[in-house]
Amino acid sequence: MTDLRSADLRERWAIGALRLDRRLLMAPMAGITTPAFRRSVRRWGAGLVFTEMISSQGIDHGNRHTLDYLRCGADEHPIGFQLFGADPLVLARAAEACLRAGADLIDINMACPVRKVVKTGAGAALLAEPELAAAAVAAVVGAVGGAVPVTVKLRAGLRMGDEAGRYVAPGLVAAGAAAVFLHPRYAAQLYRGAADHALTRRLAAELPVPVVASGDIKSRQLCLELLGAGVSGVTVARAALGRPWIFGGLLDDHADPPADERLKELRLFVEEVVAEMGSRAVGYLRRFWPHFRKSGTIDRERARALMVAPDSEVVRRLLSAA
Ligand SMILES: Cc1cc2nc3c(=O)[nH]c(=O)nc-3n(C[C@H](O)[C@H](O)[C@H](O)COP(=O)(O)O)c2cc1C
């Protein structure tokens, strides 16, 4: 029987030599987890934030667009940088660039199920290549020379029931992975069905390093159950869209803040996005309006108007009138 009283999201712990002061973390999301988003969730209590997954090839080729993802403010620590790729040497050189950019942790993505990524041998495709996956970890661990921990993000496997994640994990730990993040859906499921955290609990019992849960985390009860069962940490991804304050609610068991505070957070988020992204801000923010509507921060009509706002001045005006 899980002892929920002994589980505590504010308990200190460590991934390798990286000390963390809470067990509630933000998960990486491509196209979402920009510096402004990371600041927003940290204001509400996320204990570790992540960049989105960054192409190791793109870094290696000096692609200007890719290098933008390495931007990270002095107030953003601790932060994990996530890389994807299938060539250990390229991953190793990219990891050095992440270190120079300020990474406190480097994670290798072995979870992404998107065709564009998998067909290059990266992301979840590595689950079918245990030796290459271990070589990737060893190369990155060698490149960072113990300066920061190296972790991996896994799916349960590729096809339903293959348990490839479980079978590949011990080799990754032997190669130096300091923790494993598990999204317990099979790559073939994409985001369908429920995350099966029985698999997370089992992996946590089997591995000698911290295992961190990702998938459908939106209740404090589930967080505490997982911690009580030996899972070291929990991450939130989609539930934080339009609801960054969920971190505070999960940490301290309280309801969402009042409407004026939620709106204040949204306005601050928008200002930071505009400062960071300039004319690209409006397109990026469109991904969020349906979520801020769902969280009750803006009403349906305002969300509709924001969706077609042509520039950030109009966005500001619509929000100042909210
Ligand atoms: C839009 C989007 C982008 C994502 N991008 C990444 C990524 O770059 N790297 C990664 O490891 N996982 C990525 N994920 C997966 C999440 O980190 C997380 O594992 C998954 O969404 C399950 O957690 P949730 O139910 O809390 O959303 C992404 C998920 C979404 C919805």
Side-chain angles (χ1 to χ4, degrees):
M1 181 72 189
T2 303
D3 182 359
L4 295 184
R5 284 160 310 172
S6 67
D8 182 359
L9 283 163
R10 288 190 182 274
E11 193 183 16
R12 290 175 189 279
W13 63 304
I15 297 178
L18 177 65
R19 291 169 192 282
L20 297 169
D21 66 359
R22 61 199 66 184
R23 290 169 184 266
L24 182 63
L25 320 173
M26 187 210 84
M29 280 184 281
I32 300 289
T33 50
T34 58
F37 183 86
R38 301 191 300 249
R39 287 197 174 92
S40 174
V41 295
R42 200 190 288 289
R43 281 193 281 278
W44 296 92
L48 174 71
V49 296
F50 273 95
T51 65
E52 59 187 277
M53 61 174 190
I54 309 173
S55 163
S56 54
Q57 294 278 0
I59 294 176
D60 209 40
H61 292 154
N63 179 302
R64 205 168 47 86
H65 197 62
T66 310
L67 296 179
D68 266 356
Y69 294 131
L70 298 178
R71 275 180 308 134
C72 147
D75 58 342
E76 287 207 65
H77 300 282
I79 180 167
F81 279 50
Q82 191 188 60
L83 291 172
F84 72 96
D87 181 332
L89 292 179
V90 172
L91 279 163
R93 287 196 294 269
E96 288 168 8
C98 293
L99 262 192
R100 289 193 293 274
D104 297 302
L105 175 154
I106 291 171
D107 185 67
I108 306 174
N109 183 312
M110 302 189 186
C112 181
V114 172
R115 235 179 78 81
K116 200 170 77 179
V117 171
V118 170
K119 76 175 186 208
T120 68
L126 282 168
L127 299 176
E129 301 284 347
E131 284 173 18
L132 180 59
V137 172
V140 172
V141 169
V144 303
V148 299
V150 175
T151 62
V152 288
K153 168 96 176 273
L154 306 181
R155 283 273 183 150
L158 282 160
R159 283 164 294 281
M160 283 309 283
D162 68 12
E163 296 191 23
R166 181 188 187 194
Y167 296 125
V168 84
L172 305 180
V173 173
V180 172
F181 292 79
L182 181 67
H183 177 190
R185 284 188 176 91
Y186 291 88
Q189 288 179 281
L190 299 175
Y191 291 86
R192 290 187 292 270
D196 180 2
H197 285 299
L199 302 178
T200 317
R201 286 188 278 266
R202 187 177 64 188
L203 195 64
E206 289 174 351
L207 293 183
V209 297
V211 169
V212 181
S214 175
D216 303 345
I217 307 276
K218 38 192 166 205
S219 78
R220 184 173 156 84
Q221 170 84 13
L222 177 56
C223 294
L224 297 185
E225 267 172 30
L226 287 167
L227 296 189
V231 172
S232 295
V234 289
T235 63
V236 177
R238 288 168 297 174
L241 293 171
R243 211 180 155 209
W245 38 82
I246 188 175
F247 286 91
L250 293 175
L251 273 175
D252 296 323
D253 200 15
H254 56 60
D256 283 352
D260 59 333
E261 271 185 54
R262 283 184 275 143
L263 205 50
K264 197 169 143 205
E265 172 59 42
L266 171 53
R267 290 184 186 131
L268 179 53
F269 174 57
V270 165
E271 287 311 316
E272 294 197 340
V273 170
V274 171
E276 209 171 86
M277 303 181 89
S279 60
R280 290 182 298 120
V282 175
Y284 170 74
L285 286 167
R286 269 187 210 121
R287 297 170 198 170
F288 291 88
W289 302 131
H291 298 288
F292 279 109
R293 184 184 68 71
K294 224 178 280 170
S295 70
T297 311
I298 50 176
D299 61 25
R300 184 185 298 263
E301 255 168 53
R302 203 167 305 275
R304 278 207 191 118
L306 284 162
M307 279 310 268
V308 295
D311 57 50
S312 51
E313 267 321 302
V314 176
V315 169
R316 280 191 180 114
R317 208 166 52 237
L318 285 164
L319 287 178
S320 68

